């Protein structure tokens, strides 16, 4: 069976992804600690725990799931410490964990909102976020144990999980369902894998199936036809609409991803083929009909939800950072269950586009909503766009995204490779080294590459014991032409199967994989009305955008010429990022002088030069307009 | 001073506008009576009045301004009877008026919501719609008196106005302001003009100025920065922002138009140059920055409001039918005050596009929201578009639009001409006859034309007494080439001033005005992002659209070729409408076969034939997609 790498098995050595891991480890995590500890202005997160221990007097502050900000931060710190030691950060985390452990009730309960505000109402509100708080803290306990070997938070996590197991389950007298925000499912699976305690996996399985089998326990009868919260994401399928409910996802985007991640875990680990088939269908529907080209998901801010297939507005969208983190969770789990490159393709789309865009180079500013078309005036004045921000923000009232993004980037090494008894799969390209102990001996894979800005990937394999193994290399979905050559430069005769080149390894060896990175004009499926007739610029996995900084205002008037050659021009104007390839191409723009009339006969257009930069860097130089989908002439 | 025509002075004899007047007189008004009288299903409008008289037992039903549905209907009937006798309709109206008069309190108060639900709370809620109900009933009284000579409702209207005059005004002890929906201002002006009682005009003037001078009386201190309801429409300018508040309109679109109409009335009749200048600035800002090409106004359903200049989304818009009716009210009043064709141009845009589109050929189905881009799936499933309907509706819970549209079309003759001591102005072209008594004798103007589908207008003038007068003929803003010829076909040497050709008349004579109606591709100002790079088809004043019925689904994929010749093809497939010119032109469309991928390299497009029909006829043949702004290659 395929497995995730564990802490320390994969080292990202350099390049684009390492850059974002370092932003998180060295900038974002210290900054976020100060934020959560109230050192940068009012923030109740850490104080709530101190009040719960009695160390401090005061009242609970923040949102009912305020605890999760700290849990995600500890999760991130645990992962980051597994990548690289940092005694200062570890000391902060250890102190926080000490407080957390002391805040936990004797029966394992830990949710400072309920403990401080309404202790008599624990487990009474099916809409509450208690399981969400529990799940995030369990994940933090596992990550911190993996990254540091320290078990205090892991033991707290086990007490949390044991508490959940006493409260929930099929037995009479237990609660049979709870509607709040998902995560407990995949948290329990991780805890089971880390501790070896199968009871947690069985509890996760029960949660997943209970949503399907006894939805009334989750919904208290208030489900209504046509309400986007009805089914799909919150239940993983409507039992009365078995055939249609897997065709596309509905409901709250983040919740959907977390639930599907738990479903994928359970399906894989329990060998549940039917559940896995549902997951496959949901993933296919999601990525083929409801995903932005940047990896964003969630088309509307109304209930932070999906809408319907091919409805992908670029300006009124939600495309929450957490939703794309969740998409990676789901995709990674599916990639373990099924050898098909579509899963790693989706991860790639997120990690080179939306997710790095969501954090500034200083690690202290973030996007929550990730538009593909933005101008500051609309964000201020259009009632449909006030949730969209034209620049990264230092923090949010509901600050789910910054620490979630941190824990994702800190755990990124685990997305690059997977391994099994038979060999190693390379899902993502990045300068990195991975070493796995397998049946018959260890195998080390090292990549040297300038990916994603360069398409040449040099791969060296070392086997300690000579034994036939397999190395699978993904051919990305965007790549129309590639070559795999041996050390002498001779092409190797291997063809991709479901998107992977399977290379047989009989000893230490080296290859060069060359992926053609010719810049391309991309179009969307014709059913995407918002993008009809438009083109996006892409090079390798990197989606580009145009910005006011390079192209002036009113970007919507630009159009690209379908057959214009696209030149690559190296730039170095994003502080902290280093050189990157910009695109230059010829296009047209409106030729009318500023005039007072609102409507008049069409005027000729004039030629212009268009400059595009990687989407992940938008808004880094100046605040202004940004646009991904350009008109096409 | 320029004046509106009065009832009977203008007769629309045939053609497009007459067609819609007949739909209203012969279909809509009988249908609406049945609706308001509860004969077509539950509707409390007429019953509320019968309960108020004691004729019937029961409880008030509907919205607090339910009375206005009936008042608008009576207004429409009054106008329609002025155009054409209809004893059956008149009998229904007379009976309704009898009930209304009996429902009025002895002190003149009449608002069945307050009378039946909370009589002790009259004039206590600055947010209430009492003045809106009063104003509409006053307008009905004037129209019915004008159309029939019967004075019962007019006398009730005077009692209403007198009641308002006792409650509101500058004197101590009176109310100094009331925030609810405007209309009382222009209603009082009409009542003053019809009765000759200047006190009503002075009260209207006080209302207009009080909004500006003592806004606190209207807002009770709850005004907040950035709230689109703050100023502009509800107050006619923010006293603290004198310079900016006239640059563009804000707030609720219908309320804004009604207030501005009252302001324009007062400015003109009181010779208030400063107020008139404000009106001019507001009108200019509105029509040059915030009006759809169809004549729609109001860019968002959120508070049914304007947003900001050049923000004109085609699919999430509001563009309420009532708002364009209000735009015509405002424009018509401005046209009396200032000789500038921009006002009649705006009326023309509405009467040949949005307003006829808002009623079906059967007179029994209506649009409330008037999109420029629509597909049924989005209307059902997008939370931002559920207020948009892809087909005309039999009625609405808030049914302001159907009777407002009826009273507008019934009063349409008054928009075609204006007159003064010096002569006659022809604002709109339609087969019609107008006869005005002026200083020195009467003047009759007759137009023969196939306008708006044909650009030739034959004009015959008869003067009873030979006397130098002036005939002003508007050159529409869309017209780039025109000719005015005398009876022998010789061009007349006359140049437009502010959009009007001023022809001196020394006796009976005839001319032919020929307006070039070559079909055109129109573009929007480059600041309109939503239309950037797009083109709309227009011929004469008629804006066209493409529909699924002619062009298949996914209309957004179509693009027009900038230099393609446009052919006119007569069609006769809209039941009840008669022959109309459709447009045929060459274009391109997406050439990809239905495929599963969401994003892929741009494919070649293929040539296609595009068929466009007048916007006013959209949705008349089948329910399907519709689009005004097409991509342009």
């Amino acid at each position: 069976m395929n497995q995730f790498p564990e802490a320390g098995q994969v080292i990202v050595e350099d390049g684009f992804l390492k850059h974002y891991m370092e932003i998180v480890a060295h900038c974002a995590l210290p900054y976020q600690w100060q934020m959560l500890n109230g050192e940068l202005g009012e923030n109740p997160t850490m104080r709530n725990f101190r009040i719960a221990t009695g160390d401090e007097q005061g009242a609970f502050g923040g949102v009912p799931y305020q605890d999760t900000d700290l849990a995600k931060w500890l999760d991130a710190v645990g992962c980051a410490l597994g990548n690289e030691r940092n005694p200062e950060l570890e000391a902060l985390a250890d102190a926080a964990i000490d407080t957390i452990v002391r805040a936990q009730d004797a029966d394992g309960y830990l949710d400072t909102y309920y403990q401080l505000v309404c202790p008599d109402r624990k487990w009474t509100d099916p809409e509450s976020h208690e399981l969400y708080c529990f799940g995030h803290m369990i994940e933090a306990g596992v990550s911190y144990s993996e990254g540091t070997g320290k078990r205090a938070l892991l033991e707290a996590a086990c007490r949390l999980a044991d508490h959940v197991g006493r409260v929930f389950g099929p037995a009479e007298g237990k609660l049979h369902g709870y509607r709040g925000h998902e995560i407990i499912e995949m948290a329990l699976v991780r805890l089971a894998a880390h501790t070896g305690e199968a009871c947690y996996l069985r509890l996760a399985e029960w949660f997943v199936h209970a949503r399907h089998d006894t939805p009334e326990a989750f919904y208290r009868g208030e489900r209504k036809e046509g309400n986007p919260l009805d089914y799909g994401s919150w239940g993983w399928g409507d039992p009365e609409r078995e055939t249609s409910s897997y065709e596309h996802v509905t409901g709250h985007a983040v919740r959907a991803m977390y639930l599907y991640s738990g479903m994928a875990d359970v399906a894989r680990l329990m060998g549940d083929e039917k559940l896995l088939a549902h997951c496959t269908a949901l993933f296919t529907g999601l990525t083929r009909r409801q995903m932005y080209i940047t990896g964003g998901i969630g088309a509307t801010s109304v209930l932070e939800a999906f809408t319907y297939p091919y409805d992908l507005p670029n300006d009124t969208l939600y495309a929450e950072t957490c939703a794309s983190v969740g998409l990676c969770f789901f995709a990674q789990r599916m990639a373990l269950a099924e050898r098909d490159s579509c899963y790693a393709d989706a991860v790639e789309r997120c990690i080179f586009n939306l997710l790095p865009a969501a954090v500034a180079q200083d690690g202290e500013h973030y996007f929550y909503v990730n538009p593909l078309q933005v101008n500051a005036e609309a964000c201020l004045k259009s009632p449909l766009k006030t949730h969209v921000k034209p620049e990264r923000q230092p923090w949010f009232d509901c600050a789910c995204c910054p620490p979630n993004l941190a824990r994702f980037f800190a755990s990124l090494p685990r997305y690059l490779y997977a391994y099994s008894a038979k060999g190693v799969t390379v899902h993502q390209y990045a300068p990195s080294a991975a070493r796995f102990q397998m049946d018959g001996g260890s195998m080390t894979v090292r990549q040297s590459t300038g990916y994603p800005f360069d398409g040449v990937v040099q791969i060296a394999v070392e086997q300690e014991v000579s034994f036939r193994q397999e190395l699978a290399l993904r051919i990305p979905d965007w790549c129309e032409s590639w070559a795999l050559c041996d050390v002498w430069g001779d092409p190797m005769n291997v063809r991709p199967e479901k998107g992977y080149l399977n290379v047989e390894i009989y000893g230490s060896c080296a290859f060069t994989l060359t992926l053609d990175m010719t810049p391309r004009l991309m179009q969307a499926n014709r059913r995407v009305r918002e993008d009809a007739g438009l083109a996006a610029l892409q090079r390798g996995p990197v989606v580009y955008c145009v910005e006011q900084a390079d192209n002036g205002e009113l970007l919507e008037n630009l159009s690209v010429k379908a057959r214009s050659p696209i030149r690559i021009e190296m730039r170095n104007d994003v502080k902290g990022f280093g050189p990157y390839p910009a695109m230059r191409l010829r296009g047209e723009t409106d030729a009318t002088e500023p005039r007072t009339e609102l409507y008049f006969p069409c005027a000729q257009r004039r030629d212009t030069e268009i400059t595009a930069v990687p989407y992940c860097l938008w808004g880094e130089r100046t605040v202004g307009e940004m646009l991904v989908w350009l008109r096409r002439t």
Side-chain angles (χ1 to χ4, degrees), chain A:
Chain A
M1 184 183 279
N2 272 302
Q3 297 188 54
F4 295 127
E6 288 150 32
Q9 288 184 319
V10 174
I11 297 166
V12 183
E13 296 177 321
D14 198 4
F16 184 101
L17 297 178
K18 175 73 171 173
H19 173 68
Y20 284 93
M21 290 172 64
E22 287 187 339
I23 288 175
V24 164
H26 302 152
C27 307
L29 288 177
Y31 170 78
Q32 293 185 4
W33 168 256
Q34 291 185 293
M35 185 63 73
L36 299 177
N37 203 36
E39 297 168 28
L40 300 173
E42 168 57 22
N43 186 299
T45 315
M46 196 61 220
R47 191 182 63 217
N48 287 336
F49 285 94
R50 287 195 299 265
I51 296 170
T53 60
D55 292 350
E56 191 170 325
Q57 296 300 305
F60 177 90
V63 292
Y65 46 91
Q66 193 73 30
D67 289 2
T68 58
D69 289 359
L70 183 64
K72 286 186 229 181
W73 182 81
L74 283 167
D75 192 340
V77 172
C79 295
L81 295 176
N83 298 328
E84 183 185 7
R85 303 305 292 175
N86 183 332
E88 203 171 334
L89 201 56
E90 190 165 340
L92 292 174
D94 285 343
I97 288 167
D98 176 67
T99 305
I100 288 169
V101 170
R102 287 189 291 116
Q104 189 171 31
D105 288 347
D107 65 355
Y109 189 95
L110 177 60
D111 179 327
T112 67
Y113 172 74
Y114 277 89
Q115 290 171 296
L116 299 177
V117 175
C118 44
D120 55 329
R121 292 190 43 77
K122 291 173 186 167
W123 307 120
T124 60
D125 176 9
E127 306 288 335
S128 92
H129 281 68
E130 286 160 291
L131 284 174
Y132 181 57
C133 291
F134 275 52
H136 266 301
M137 201 58 85
I138 290 168
E139 290 233 31
V142 174
S143 291
Y144 206 75
S145 169
E146 284 182 354
T148 64
K150 295 182 179 173
R151 297 180 55 87
L153 193 60
L154 179 68
E155 286 161 9
C158 290
R159 289 193 294 274
L160 285 163
D162 292 338
H163 183 103
V164 171
R166 288 192 299 274
V167 173
F168 288 89
E172 208 176 329
K174 289 190 178 185
L175 293 173
H176 303 315
Y178 224 60
R179 178 172 175 166
H181 199 306
E182 288 88 344
I183 196 176
I184 191 69
E185 302 81 359
M186 59 174 159
L188 290 168
V189 172
R190 280 193 72 194
L191 187 63
H194 188 67
T195 61
E197 296 287 346
C199 60
Y200 300 133
L201 176 60
R202 284 198 301 274
L203 186 56
E205 184 189 25
W206 175 82
F207 269 111
V208 162
H209 284 284
R211 285 212 181 240
H212 183 265
D213 299 337
T214 56
E216 63 283 359
F218 291 80
Y219 291 96
R220 295 197 300 183
E222 85 274 37
R223 301 161 81 205
K224 288 191 198 70
E225 188 71 22
N227 179 337
L229 294 182
D230 267 358
Y231 72 98
S233 69
W234 291 18
W236 52 270
D238 185 326
E240 289 144 35
R241 296 202 243 173
E242 189 84 12
T243 49
S244 69
S245 59
Y246 308 110
E247 284 172 8
H248 69 276
V249 297
T250 57
H252 187 285
V254 179
R255 296 184 184 206
M257 292 306 106
Y258 283 23
L259 175 60
Y260 300 162
S261 298
M263 285 161 57
D265 273 337
V266 167
R268 174 174 53 95
L269 294 168
M270 307 306 269
D272 185 335
E273 295 289 337
K274 189 178 167 204
L275 186 58
L276 186 63
H278 289 328
C279 290
T280 304
L282 285 165
F283 188 90
T284 303
L286 173 65
T287 54
R288 291 196 176 173
R289 293 194 281 271
Q290 294 181 270
M291 177 181 66
Y292 289 92
I293 195 170
T294 55
I297 53 173
T300 179
S301 66
V302 179
L303 305 174
E304 311 185 336
F306 293 104
T307 54
Y308 57 96
Y310 302 109
D311 181 43
L312 293 166
N314 294 304
D315 52 349
T316 58
L317 83 187
Y318 211 59
E320 184 184 340
T321 301
C322 286
S324 291
V325 168
L327 171 57
C328 291
F329 293 162
F330 182 28
Q332 184 197 29
R333 284 157 174 79
M334 292 302 293
L336 287 186
E338 283 188 353
R339 167 66 64 87
D340 189 315
S341 63
C342 66
Y343 305 114
D345 284 338
V347 171
E348 181 179 74
R349 198 179 282 282
C350 294
I351 62 177
F352 293 120
N353 298 295
L354 188 143
L355 292 175
V359 59
Q361 301 301 311
D362 64 7
E364 302 185 356
H365 296 83
Y366 305 90
F367 282 126
Y368 190 114
V369 170
N370 294 275
L372 284 80
Q373 175 180 20
V374 74
N375 76 82
E377 187 177 26
C379 297
L380 282 175
K381 298 179 182 172
S382 168
L384 308 186
K385 299 174 190 168
T386 48
H387 62 290
V388 182
K389 302 299 173 200
E391 59 185 315
R392 294 173 184 84
Q393 306 289 308
W395 207 247
F396 306 92
D397 289 339
C398 166
C400 50
C401 295
N404 214 11
L405 194 68
R407 76 186 184 116
F408 176 77
F409 274 121
S411 72
L412 199 55
R414 302 178 202 182
Y415 289 80
L416 272 50
Y417 298 86
Y419 71 105
S420 70
K422 288 171 59 188
V424 172
T425 301
V426 181
H427 285 310
Q428 306 297 340
Y429 298 108
S432 57
R435 181 185 168 88
F436 300 107
Q437 201 65 39
M438 288 172 289
D439 295 351
S442 75
M443 182 165 163
T444 303
V445 180
R446 167 166 269 125
Q447 297 181 51
S448 304
T449 179
Y451 204 86
F453 295 139
D454 186 81
V456 179
V457 185
Q458 292 179 317
I459 296 160
V461 180
E462 284 173 37
Q463 274 185 309
E464 280 190 358
V465 177
S466 191
F467 188 90
R468 195 173 74 86
Q469 289 177 308
E470 210 171 71
L471 181 71
L473 302 171
R474 183 174 60 95
I475 301 300
D477 57 354
W478 53 262
C479 186
E480 298 199 324
S481 171
W482 53 269
L484 183 67
C485 296
D486 63 20
V487 282
W488 299 286
D490 290 329
M492 295 172 67
N493 183 21
V494 54
R495 299 162 74 83
E497 290 169 34
K498 294 200 169 184
Y500 289 90
L501 298 178
N502 297 308
V503 184
E504 297 203 333
I505 305 290
Y506 295 96
S508 297
C509 55
F511 319 96
T512 301
L513 177 65
T514 305
L515 304 166
D516 178 19
M517 289 219 168
T518 304
R520 289 187 191 287
L521 290 181
M522 303 296 287
Q523 72 167 85
N525 190 294
R526 61 202 303 272
R527 303 201 74 84
V528 183
R529 293 170 192 276
E530 304 278 349
D531 300 337
L534 307 185
L537 294 156
Q538 187 170 336
R539 179 171 177 269
V542 179
V543 174
Y544 279 65
C545 66
V546 293
E547 288 199 283
Q548 188 176 352
D550 302 304
N551 302 282
E553 62 161 10
L554 298 168
L555 297 173
E556 287 81 356
N557 286 293
L558 293 176
S559 57
V560 296
K561 292 188 176 183
R563 285 183 206 79
S564 166
I566 301 173
R567 305 190 309 281
I568 296 298
E569 184 180 287
M570 292 306 293
R571 289 203 174 185
N572 193 358
D573 58 2
V574 174
K575 196 181 162 199
F577 186 80
Y580 67 89
M583 286 188 195
R584 302 267 288 166
L585 68 162
R586 283 183 53 215
E588 290 182 343
T589 190
D590 186 272
T592 56
E593 291 303 300
R595 48 192 291 177
T596 55
E597 299 98 312
L598 191 49
Y599 305 108
F600 45 85
C602 286
Q604 288 272 321
R605 293 176 176 148
R606 65 173 168 78
D607 282 357
T608 191
E609 186 83 5
I610 295 173
T611 301
V613 298
Y615 175 82
C616 60
L617 298 178
W618 84 270
E620 286 282 10
R621 296 169 298 166
T622 57
V623 179
E625 300 179 20
M626 184 277 290
L627 185 64
V628 170
W629 288 100
L630 290 156
R631 307 201 185 280
R632 175 161 67 113
T633 303

